[in-house]
Each structure stands twice: as structure tokens, then as C-alpha cells.
Amino acid sequence: MADSRTGGAAPTVLRVVLGKRLQHLRERAGVTFEQAARSLDVTHATIRRMEKAEVGLKVPYVEKLLRTYGVSDPEEIDGFVSLAREANQPGWWHRYRDVLPEWFSVFVSLESESEVIRAYEPHYVPGLLQTESYARAVLRAGMPHAPEAEIKRGVALRMERQTVLTQEANPPLLWAVIDETVLRRPLGSPDVMREQIDHLIQAIERPNVALQIMPFSAGPHPAMYGPFHLFRFPLDELPDMVCAESLVGAVYFDQRDDVSVFLEALDRMSAQAVPLVRTRAVLSALRKEI
Amino acid sequence: MSEAGFSPDQIDTTRPHPARMYDYYLGGKDNYEADRDAAERILTALPDVGVTARSNRDFMHRAVRTVVDSGVRQIIDIGTGIPTSPNTHDVARRMDPGVRVAYVDNDPIVAAYAGAKLTNSGNAGFVLADIRDPAAILDHPVTQDLIDFDEPVALVLLAVLHFVTDAEDAVGIVRSLTERLPAGSHLILSHGTADFNQSDGFGKVTKVYNEESTSSAQWRSGPEISAFFEGFELLEPGLVQLPLWRPDGPVPSGADLRRHMGYGGVGVK
Ligand SMILES: C[S@@+](CC[C@H](N)C(=O)[O-])C[C@H]1O[C@@H](n2cnc3c(N)ncnc32)[C@H](O)[C@@H]1O
């Protein structure tokens, strides 16, 4: 996971791609971590962390490494360097650094560069679909000690994240499965819940919002242990990434065998949940019960 | 709460599935370890399966454009598969945004993907049915809702009939599907074959499908595939190797061409 002490904040997806490319070039050239490290006069851990996108890519390092890996075409080097510069630009979410733990800023960066975001949420309406009052109630429940100002900032961040779904250029597809619990456990007040459900009914009209409900009646399903997200990026060479959340942080997976387990769980859940064409009817029925 | 989806025992992800194996051949990410493992063994036996899958998609693009260009505005696409961009409706709607598409597949997971990625923008629906039950497809409310059987229909059967054996009466199934289509309807069909590449890898491939995957496979010869076009007149250039059907770019030749192990054709009723 990224280390905030390096000032490296969350990697953009681009940094992840470049890290993977560096790794690929190094392996192709048959260069070990130690050899690469010697060429930069750094420790091998630094090389490892560059490849894993845990640190920013310093331009002089990148240039030297490419040469060590036998890349001599100046155009290729320039291209790589300009991508590295771009990857070091902070994302919009850096303005929220005060309320954004490191693990979550990774999450926001992945979310904002995805083509498809799949999610399983057993307890809450997914952040991208929350209303302001609902978001406030969620944040308050999760952070009972936080001063009001912090909750406010958290809500603002969440609202800003949501613009990704309505952006003009290639908004991602959000495909989420939520548990029936989400709609039944009262959060905030009945008004907050009703407003939230109305908001969902509106949101699913968008072609890029697919929300499925896993009813109690469906019985057990493969992901009952907890919430997670799967991100897919528009670049084919980038692996899908999974973020499995917990109270104090998150674990990210990008190895195919790990990711597949989550993918299979999501696929099975999507088949087991109420089919999308009936989401609207279920939401309307539940709204009446509040 | 009622109106649930599938029950867990209807969703088989323990065996490799043709839809996800095909997604893997195409370089997709919607597949699991069992699918990749089976697909890798198939690619070892017949490395050009991947090339053929691509040329099958390219054939779909050209064939669908041709058919929409000739005025057809409704499509039934059976054996849809895991969505792969551009999908049938994407290709058709680039020509006319009003084209209606009924997608059909017998796999619950394909059904889930269809809901999120194929039928989410209107004028399209999904029918969960088996191609071996033509009436279930044609009489399904979703089909009836979307398709006007008094107007020409394009029936799309791409890389699906090689999962229906002769013992199951593949020709009879296609006849039942097409006999209710009015004149002017089109049949877009592609099918795997060993005609162009007599590799002994085919035996191994068939074995993997038949013994491990959820479907059995049968590769057919040109004349056998022609029989599916009963009642249809083949458009030029007839039933040909996939890249040779109305190419819109350079065409492979010689050893390169032999890598494409499928036939494609379009007929009009
Ligand atoms: C190789 S994929 C072809 C996908 C797509 N038609 C294409 O050509 O790009 C075969 C598809 O046929 C489906 N299929 C196999 N047997 C079937 C059956 N008996 N009834 C309906 N669909 C079937 C599979 O689920 C899979 O999605």
C-alpha cells in the first residue's frame, strides 16, 4: 500500500500502468532488482516500489532505468517520461487529503479512472449513489467521535466523487449488488430513507447504473463476509483490481487468480439477485413499507 | 421479497463454460481459472482458435452492417455470449439507433451480464432459453414484445450451432427457428470447421469441450453447414471462410488464411 510519508499520495491508474511496464521491460532485459538498483544508486526496494506504483516516478530515474533496460529509442523514452510526468499530477481528490485516508484515496483514484465498477454492498447504498443526508448518516454512524466539520468534508468528498457517473466523456458503468438489508435497516430518519430510495429509482434510469437487490429469500450467497469493489480500466493491459474494505483500511488485489475469485462471486451474485429489469419494482415496493 | 433470480444450483461455475472460454480467446477478463485452464489447453492443441474468434467477431460486424443496410430493423441474436464491445446492438445502432435486438442465451451468468451491458439502453431485451427449444425463444414475451413477425427479422446464430449436435437435430432446430420468419428475413450464421486446417488438434479440442465444459461441440464441414440455409438464398459471396465474407480490409492468404477455422454466411428468405 502507498506510504503517505513519501508524499506519494494515491497512485493514479496511469502510474500503475507505468510501473507494470517498467517491470515488464526489466524482466525482458533480464535485469534483476539489484542490478537495476545499482544503476540508480538506490536500494532494490525502491525499484520494487516503483514497479508497484507505491512511489512517484522521478523523471531522471525513469530515463536511467529505460537505458539500463536497453530502451534506446529517444521517442520511446520521451513518450514514457511524459506519461510519468502526467502520472505524478495529483488527482482532484487531493484537495480532500484532510479527510481522505491513504487507502481510500487509492480507492477514489481507481474509481475515477474505471470503465466498469462492480460492487457488493451488504450494508450501505454504494457511495456513488448516496444522497447527501444519507451520506451524512452513514459517515456519522461510522465515525461517532468525528467533529461535525469532518463529517461535512466527508460528505462533500462523496458528492464530488459522484460526478464521475454523470460526466459527459465515457462515464463508467456502475454495476452493484446490494443486500436487502441496505433497504430495510433504517438509517437517519424515514424521510432520509425515502429520499434515498427515490434517488435510487432515478439513478437506475441511467444506462450506466445497474443496481441489483439480493433478497433475503435468495438465501446464502458467495460474498456474505463483506463488501468489496472490482475495478476494470479502459486499458486492456491493466489487470482488474479488487478492493476489499474493512473498518480500518482495505486490501487491494490485482493477481488474476485472486481477482477471479471475486469476479466469480460477483457473477454468481448477479445471477442470484433480483434481475435488473425488476429492480425498480422492488425499490418502489420497499419504499411503501417505510 | 419475491422475484428472485436464479437459485445457486442453477448457476454452474465449477465447469469451464464456452461463453467464458470464448471471452478468454478474445483477450477478455470475464472468465475464471477453470475457464482459462481449459481454454489454454485448447489453445495449445489449436493455437489459432484465438485468431478464429477474432475473425468471427469481425464477420459479425460486417454481416450485421450489411443486413441493417438492407433495411432490417429487428434482430434475434441466439448464443449471445459474454458482452464484447462492440456488441450486436452497438454495431446495428451505429447505422440506425432504432434497431431492436432480442438477445438469447441459456446461461444464467450471460443473462446477468446482458442485463447490465446489453439491454440497459432500451429497445433490447434478453431471453433466457435454450436454442434447442425454438418455441420457447419465439413465443417468449420479451421476443414477442420486441419483434414484429410481420416485418423482416435478422436471425443471428454465431458460433453457437457447433454446440448443438446432429443427434439433437441441429438442422431441424434451425428450420423451426426460421420457418416463422417472414420473407425478406436474414440468417447470419457462423460455425467452426476443420475444413481449412486438418490439424489433429481438433480431436483434443472436442475432447476438452465434451468431457469438461458445460457444452458438447461438433465441428461441421462446408456442405453440412450449408444445410442450415435451407429456405434461404445465400448472399454473395456465399458460405465462405470468415475473413473472405465481404472483407473491408486486406485479406489474409495462404498459411495465414488457413488459421481462420470458421465459415460465415448470410442468407435472405
Ligand atoms: C462461442 S460463444 C459465441 C458468442 C457470440 N455469438 C459470438 O459469436 O461472438 C457461444 C455462446 O453460445 C451459448 N450457447 C451454447 N449452447 C447453447 C444453447 N444450447 N442454447 C443457447 N445458447 C447456447 C453459450 O452460452 C455462449 O454464450
Side-chain angles (χ1 to χ4, degrees):
Chain A
M1 207 174 292
D3 180 349
S4 42
R5 283 166 309 177
T6 61
T12 62
V13 170
L14 188 54
R15 201 200 286 173
V16 178
V17 183
L18 295 178
K20 293 224 181 278
R21 264 195 216 160
L22 277 180
Q23 178 186 1
H24 178 76
L25 288 170
R26 180 179 56 74
E27 288 170 352
R28 198 186 62 183
V31 175
T32 63
F33 282 121
E34 285 73 17
Q35 290 165 331
R38 240 172 286 140
S39 77
L40 298 187
D41 213 7
V42 295
T43 67
H44 58 86
T46 302
I47 305 292
R48 235 180 267 268
R49 301 180 74 202
M50 286 172 78
E51 293 183 2
K52 285 195 170 158
E54 290 175 354
V55 289
L57 294 172
K58 293 195 180 121
V59 169
Y61 280 8
V62 167
E63 286 174 333
K64 237 185 226 164
L65 278 184
L66 289 177
R67 262 183 244 114
T68 307
Y69 301 158
V71 178
S72 53
D73 177 0
E75 256 183 56
E76 197 177 336
I77 295 179
D78 282 355
F80 202 111
V81 164
S82 75
L83 287 176
R85 280 212 180 90
E86 203 178 306
N88 289 335
Q89 297 297 316
W92 63 263
W93 52 90
H94 287 246
R95 282 186 280 115
Y96 288 93
R97 234 182 279 175
D98 53 333
V99 286
L100 203 54
E102 189 61 25
W103 72 268
F104 196 59
S105 77
V106 176
F107 183 96
V108 176
S109 98
L110 300 178
E111 174 181 84
S112 67
E113 295 180 56
S114 285
E115 179 175 67
V116 181
I117 303 166
R118 293 183 65 177
Y120 169 55
E121 284 288 2
H123 303 301
Y124 297 122
V125 167
L128 291 179
L129 299 177
Q130 292 178 5
T131 63
E132 226 175 302
S133 348
Y134 183 94
R136 185 167 306 115
V138 171
L139 289 173
R140 181 44 81 197
M143 303 191 289
H145 305 294
E148 184 53 27
E150 191 179 336
I151 301 286
K152 260 200 176 133
R153 289 283 288 158
V155 172
L157 163 64
R158 195 156 296 182
M159 294 301 118
E160 188 153 352
R161 274 171 57 205
Q162 296 180 354
T163 58
V164 74
L165 285 181
T166 50
Q167 75 195 12
E168 195 115 349
N170 304 318
L173 167 70
L174 171 66
W175 181 7
V177 178
I178 61 173
D179 205 88
E180 182 172 348
T181 313
V182 173
L183 302 164
R184 292 215 183 260
R185 180 191 299 281
L187 222 133
S189 64
D191 279 345
V192 168
M193 286 304 285
R194 273 192 289 266
E195 185 196 40
Q196 177 62 67
I197 293 182
D198 286 339
H199 182 67
L200 293 179
I201 291 175
Q202 256 175 24
I204 58 174
E205 290 299 312
R206 303 187 60 85
N208 64 321
V209 175
L211 179 71
Q212 290 188 269
I213 297 150
M214 180 67 85
F216 294 150
S217 59
H221 61 78
M224 298 210 310
Y225 66 87
F228 65 92
H229 282 72
L230 184 149
F231 302 99
R232 174 162 305 167
F233 308 103
L235 289 161
D236 282 347
E237 63 264 38
L238 264 187
D240 288 349
M241 278 198 213
V242 168
C243 172
E245 295 116 59
S246 77
L247 257 184
V248 292
V251 186
Y252 289 90
F253 300 94
D254 72 348
Q255 294 301 308
R256 198 160 196 179
D257 289 351
D258 292 331
V259 171
S260 292
V261 174
F262 288 97
L263 179 72
E264 181 177 341
L266 280 170
D267 286 353
R268 292 190 65 99
M269 278 194 285
S270 304
Q272 215 183 321
V274 176
L276 278 163
V277 286
R278 296 214 284 269
T279 296
R280 195 197 161 89
V282 173
L283 288 173
S284 304
L286 275 166
R287 187 193 187 285
K288 290 202 192 94
E289 292 181 30
I290 294 170
Chain B
M1 202 188 297
S2 61
E3 323 210 72
F6 297 92
S7 73
D9 58 354
Q10 291 173 297
I11 311 165
D12 182 3
T13 53
T14 61
R15 289 184 290 168
H17 192 281
R20 290 187 300 268
M21 289 162 72
Y22 180 73
D23 177 75
Y24 183 74
Y25 304 147
L26 288 170
K29 294 173 186 154
D30 292 317
N31 43 69
Y32 322 139
E33 209 174 332
D35 308 308
R36 292 193 288 275
D37 180 66
E40 275 300 338
R41 279 178 287 126
I42 282 179
L43 290 167
T44 306
L46 267 185
D48 293 329
V49 165
V51 173
T52 306
R54 289 239 147 266
S55 64
N56 182 52
R57 291 304 292 180
D58 293 344
F59 165 72
M60 181 277 272
H61 303 166
R62 301 193 304 276
V64 167
R65 283 201 299 264
T66 301
V67 166
V68 175
D69 196 40
S70 75
V72 176
R73 291 294 175 270
Q74 34 182 13
I75 299 175
I76 304 178
D77 181 350
I78 307 180
T80 303
I82 300 282
T84 301
S85 182
N87 294 288
T88 307
H89 71 280
D90 300 314
V91 175
R93 288 191 192 152
R94 264 173 221 163
M95 317 223 15
D96 183 333
V99 174
R100 302 186 301 283
V101 185
Y103 285 107
V104 184
D105 206 286
N106 65 344
D107 180 55
I109 287 182
V110 172
Y113 276 82
K117 295 187 167 182
L118 300 177
T119 60
N120 50 338
S121 49
N123 262 346
F126 181 83
V127 176
L128 179 86
D130 197 295
I131 192 172
R132 292 166 292 194
D133 187 358
I137 295 173
L138 299 175
D139 298 333
H140 194 282
V142 169
T143 314
Q144 289 292 327
D145 216 41
L146 278 165
I147 307 289
D148 174 357
F149 284 91
D150 294 326
E151 293 287 324
V153 176
L155 177 67
V156 176
L157 300 177
L158 291 174
V160 60
L161 286 171
H162 47 241
F163 297 117
V164 183
T165 62
D166 285 345
E168 296 168 317
D169 190 18
V171 170
I173 286 168
V174 175
R175 190 185 306 123
S176 310
L177 285 168
T178 56
E179 71 194 356
R180 279 162 62 182
L181 306 182
S185 290
H186 288 69
L187 173 61
I188 300 178
L189 190 150
S190 70
H191 199 295
T193 187
D195 281 9
F196 308 111
N197 176 336
Q198 272 81 25
S199 156
D200 33 350
F202 275 97
K204 172 81 186 153
V205 170
T206 311
K207 206 165 130 71
V208 172
Y209 275 108
N210 292 4
E211 290 177 8
E212 299 177 42
S213 88
T214 52
S215 303
S216 298
Q218 178 177 347
W219 318 106
R220 294 188 172 88
S221 67
E224 286 171 321
I225 298 166
S226 294
F228 292 125
F229 285 94
E230 181 191 317
F232 285 78
E233 192 183 319
L234 280 166
L235 301 186
E236 282 301 314
L239 181 71
V240 293
Q241 209 172 346
L242 291 165
L244 302 182
W245 197 90
R246 303 198 180 183
D248 55 5
V251 175
S253 61
D256 251 0
L257 184 58
R258 279 195 291 280
R259 303 177 64 190
H260 301 266
M261 303 172 291
Y263 278 104
V266 178
V268 61
K269 193 166 175 178

